[in-house]
Amino acid sequence: MIFFVPDKPFTILAPSNAAKLHATGTQRENFIKQIILDHVVLGSIVNITNNTKEISFETLRGKTVHVRRKEDKLLANDVLILQSNVGVPNGVIIVLDKYLFSDELSIKKNTSQAKLNVSSHTVVTVKEQPSVQSNTTFIQNVLQVLSYLKSGVRVFQHFLSRSNVSKLLEDGENYTVFVPTDHAFHRWHPIDWGFYPFSVPEFTESVIINHFVKGNYLQDDVKDNQIVTTLGGRQIVFRKIPFLMVNGVQVVKGDTPVANGNIMFTGEVLFVNESVVSRLHQQHRDKETPPLLAFPWFGAQFLSHAFLALERDRRFSHITRFLNLADLAPHVSGTGYTFFVPVDTAFEAIGLDKMPDNYLSNGNGLQVLLNHFVKGRLYDRDLKDGTELLSLGNSTIKIARKKERVDVNDAVIVESEVFVYNLGTMFYIDKVLFSKRDFLPTSTIANDIIPTQRRKVPSIVEKVPDELLEEMGLEPDLLTENDATTSTTVWSTPNVTSSSNATIK
């Protein structure tokens, strides 16, 4: 059950994960709000620690809860209290072993069988926590508290729930976790496009592990300049002047104790800075998100970004001119492709350098281009010896690998893993794949070459002004003359009569 945490003080009477609620599907919809209101007190923090007398208070729905002690056990009405005061910012959580007021839910029983008719009822239950102490207990306690604080720590909760940090915890030990707020993670998220460091799983796992330290550290007990070691082997230094900080990051005032340890909240992610992210970016170019391109092919972002990247490289003048006029976008739409790109010498070797730009734009020529694309993003590690890939032209590409050399059919990869953002991968090869003899130029074809056509520049691209391209003026340009010529240049100046009454036309 997830609660929204208000600005006012509050008390949550939270049934544990082992609590069960039996209700029909209709009842569940009608009573879910009622159940939540029956377990929340807004406007006050109920303190039942060391309570010897009965305490009564009302929930948001106006139901009265009586807290009393019976045989060294604390009861809320007749429900056992498992944990009396779990501190959270601006409030407290009281953990119960059952739901309050559950007797108000009408539960129909099959009297003939004297048991619940499962076919007509829904059982709302959460997996029970093991009664035996284990190394996952602290993580479960932390995740449970973070679920109540849904509005501010969802990112850390998400990463923690998917991490393997519980494998590093020892049975019976206490731990402290430093939880960065959502804002701390958001500052590393690109606004529109760019690199998000937490898209790298192994880096994220390392960061999460390094926010845990062994031992139950409370803010009032730590000493200035005290050093502790994280589960990942990094050091955390406490500073208490002028306020509590860890590694220069301010800690939100107040502990959040849980069973087996403590939670502290920080305004920044520890061990993450600009230099760390920059190095990570260089190592993981494949994780970078791209800007959205409207040109040249809006519906084919991988193809568009690949084309623009190749167009800037002089080694790929032929493949870009063929791609420019080929109708590939419907076949290579969206993202997630691998492109085996022939260099210029590959086209020159079979005479395609003499062919016009539209030579591979349709029919069998288009198939040649499609045979260089594979659906799915491949890395160098995926190109294993004996691997067979199906191209977009429905031809089989065979991979042969021997030490550092990788063959793609009869071509050799000359440059590997050229990432096109996180859209796909390019591999540069030295031959054109599946080039057939009937595609090669003949003397007849060579004499009948149509004029080369280039991609039209869209209207949104600013043109160079015509006046900057024209040669203007009749006199010699002094800026282009040498010193000797300049010194001997004679200028003829017409006679001008100066008069105060002269009119300039």
Side-chain angles (χ1 to χ4, degrees), residues 174-237:
N174 291 330
Y175 294 89
T176 299
V177 58
F178 300 91
V179 178
T181 62
D182 287 347
H183 177 74
F185 285 97
H186 290 165
R187 67 160 293 197
W188 296 107
H189 205 290
I191 297 176
D192 293 316
W193 57 276
F195 178 68
Y196 183 51
F198 300 104
S199 64
V200 182
E202 56 271 25
F203 174 76
T204 304
E205 178 76 1
S206 173
V207 168
I208 296 300
I209 289 174
N210 281 310
H211 280 70
F212 283 80
V213 297
K214 190 175 182 179
N216 188 357
Y217 294 94
L218 301 177
Q219 294 187 9
D220 291 337
D221 297 338
V222 296
K223 299 178 181 179
D224 193 36
N225 289 323
Q226 183 175 350
I227 300 176
V228 295
T229 303
T230 70
L231 296 185
R234 305 292 295 272
Q235 286 190 338
I236 289 180
V237 181

Side-chain angles (χ1 to χ4, degrees), residues 285-287 301-303 305-307 309-310 332 334-341 372-383 389 413 415-429:
R285 290 283 184 183
D286 58 315
K287 303 295 184 183
Q301 290 297 302
F302 168 75
L303 185 62
H305 280 284
F307 177 84
L310 294 172
V332 197
T335 64
Y337 294 93
T338 299
F339 184 14
F340 295 99
V341 190
H372 289 77
F373 290 88
V374 173
K375 180 61 178 175
R377 181 173 195 172
L378 300 177
Y379 292 81
D380 179 71
R381 62 177 178 268
D382 299 317
L383 303 182
L389 308 170
I413 293 179
E415 189 170 341
S416 182
E417 284 190 346
V418 181
F419 298 124
V420 184
Y421 294 96
N422 64 351
L423 306 176
T425 312
M426 295 190 292
F427 293 86
Y428 300 159
I429 56 178

Side-chain angles (χ1 to χ4, degrees), residues 456-463:
K456 293 183 179 180
V457 178
S459 58
I460 61 173
V461 178
E462 184 178 358
K463 296 182 179 180

Side-chain angles (χ1 to χ4, degrees), residues 196-469:
Y196 183 51
F198 300 104
S199 64
V200 182
E202 56 271 25
F203 174 76
T204 304
E205 178 76 1
S206 173
V207 168
I208 296 300
I209 289 174
N210 281 310
H211 280 70
F212 283 80
V213 297
K214 190 175 182 179
N216 188 357
Y217 294 94
L218 301 177
Q219 294 187 9
D220 291 337
D221 297 338
V222 296
K223 299 178 181 179
D224 193 36
N225 289 323
Q226 183 175 350
I227 300 176
V228 295
T229 303
T230 70
L231 296 185
R234 305 292 295 272
Q235 286 190 338
I236 289 180
V237 181
F238 286 97
R239 294 299 304 272
K240 302 196 73 172
I241 301 174
F243 39 74
L244 183 62
M245 294 186 295
V246 287
N247 288 9
V249 175
Q250 186 172 355
V251 178
V252 177
K253 187 175 181 179
D255 295 299
T256 304
V258 296
N260 303 103
N262 187 31
I263 302 174
M264 297 188 198
F265 297 93
T266 63
E268 297 289 346
V269 183
L270 302 180
F271 308 108
V272 179
N273 54 44
E274 295 289 350
S275 61
V276 169
V277 173
S278 178
R279 289 195 301 270
L280 190 70
H281 185 192
Q282 296 300 321
Q283 299 167 2
H284 297 276
R285 290 283 184 183
D286 58 315
K287 303 295 184 183
E288 184 176 0
T289 58
L292 183 64
L293 294 180
F295 175 83
W297 304 283
F298 178 75
Q301 290 297 302
F302 168 75
L303 185 62
S304 295
H305 280 284
F307 177 84
L308 295 180
L310 294 172
E311 197 175 39
R312 293 190 295 266
D313 194 323
R314 294 182 178 180
R315 294 175 295 172
F316 301 102
S317 61
H318 293 310
I319 187 64
T320 52
R321 67 187 182 90
F322 289 134
L323 290 175
N324 181 49
L325 294 185
D327 190 20
L328 278 176
H331 305 279
V332 197
S333 61
T335 64
Y337 294 93
T338 299
F339 184 14
F340 295 99
V341 190
V343 295
D344 280 352
T345 54
F347 290 97
E348 294 165 2
I350 57 176
L352 287 179
D353 59 315
K354 300 179 178 64
M355 293 295 98
D357 294 2
N358 65 345
Y359 191 66
L360 302 179
S361 62
N362 51 54
N364 291 334
L366 184 62
Q367 286 298 111
V368 171
L369 293 179
L370 288 174
N371 280 330
H372 289 77
F373 290 88
V374 173
K375 180 61 178 175
R377 181 173 195 172
L378 300 177
Y379 292 81
D380 179 71
R381 62 177 178 268
D382 299 317
L383 303 182
K384 299 177 182 179
D385 188 46
T387 299
E388 293 188 352
L389 308 170
L390 183 65
S391 73
L392 295 186
N394 290 320
S395 297
T396 300
I397 297 175
K398 296 181 179 180
I399 304 298
R401 190 172 196 124
K402 187 175 182 181
K403 295 183 179 180
E404 298 301 320
R405 172 171 169 154
V406 181
D407 291 350
V408 182
N409 286 0
D410 58 345
V412 178
I413 293 179
V414 295
E415 189 170 341
S416 182
E417 284 190 346
V418 181
F419 298 124
V420 184
Y421 294 96
N422 64 351
L423 306 176
T425 312
M426 295 190 292
F427 293 86
Y428 300 159
I429 56 178
D430 65 350
K431 291 183 180 179
V432 178
L433 301 179
F434 305 103
S435 57
K436 300 178 182 179
R437 296 300 302 176
D438 54 354
F439 292 145
L440 301 182
T442 63
S443 57
T444 303
I445 297 177
N447 293 329
D448 193 29
I449 296 176
I450 65 174
T452 295
Q453 301 179 29
R454 295 303 296 167
R455 172 169 49 91
K456 293 183 179 180
V457 178
S459 58
I460 61 173
V461 178
E462 184 178 358
K463 296 182 179 180
V464 178
D466 293 337
E467 60 268 23
L468 298 182
L469 301 178

